[in-house]
Amino acid sequence: PATLALGARLAARVRPGDVITLSGDLGAGKTTLARGLLAALGLEGEAPSPTFAIVQTYAPPETRIPVAHIDLYRLDDPDEAEELGLHDLRADHLLLVEWPERLGTAAWPDSLQLRLESAGGGGRR
C-alpha cells in the first residue's frame, strides 16, 4: 500500500517529458509503484507489467497525460533500445522506466531516479 501511495503522490507532480526510473531487484515493487502512479493518473483497472511488451503506452482519456511504461529487463544490449523509439516518446509522454540500468549510466541523467529495495517484514525502502 505505501508503494502504491508513493506512486499516487508522484502522479500529482508529473508532466509529459518527465522521466522516472525505477531500479531494484525482482519483486522490489517497481511495477507496484508504477501501478499506483497510473491509477492516480486515471487508469481504471490494474496496469499490466510491460515485461513482455517492453513498452506499454497510455493516453487521454485513459490517463490524464500520455504515459509510456517501459520495462527494459529483457534487453541484452543498450543498442536495442534505439528500436523502441524512447527519445520520440519522451517528447510528449511521461516515461516510467523499469530496469534503466540496462541502458547504461548515461541514460536520462535528468530523470527522477528511484531505487526500491525489499525491507524486513515484506516492506519496501
Side-chain angles (χ1 to χ4, degrees):
T3 307
L4 288 170
L6 175 58
R9 287 196 309 273
L10 289 170
R13 299 179 172 266
V14 296
R15 61 185 189 274
D18 287 346
V19 178
I20 299 174
T21 64
L22 304 171
S23 298
D25 294 335
L26 285 170
K30 298 178 297 295
T31 300
T32 300
L33 190 146
R35 286 177 174 152
L37 190 148
L38 287 163
L41 289 176
L43 184 67
E44 295 182 14
E46 186 174 271
S49 172
T51 300
F52 294 103
I54 300 179
V55 177
Q56 178 69 44
T57 58
Y58 303 93
E62 191 174 29
T63 51
R64 178 175 52 83
I65 62 172
V67 179
H69 184 191
I70 302 152
D71 187 329
L72 301 175
Y73 182 76
R74 293 182 33 223
L75 290 190
D76 293 322
D77 186 296
D79 292 337
E80 293 178 62
E82 278 299 314
E83 299 171 22
L84 300 176
L86 302 181
H87 180 73
D88 292 336
L89 280 172
R90 185 176 185 183
D92 57 2
H93 284 68
L94 161 67
L95 299 188
L96 198 51
V97 185
E98 297 186 37
W99 299 97
E101 55 276 1
R102 299 282 193 198
L103 295 185
T105 57
W108 303 299
D110 59 339
S111 65
L112 173 60
Q113 300 173 10
L114 301 176
R115 175 152 188 84
L116 288 84
E117 297 176 358
S118 296
R124 307 278 186 263
R125 172 174 62 202

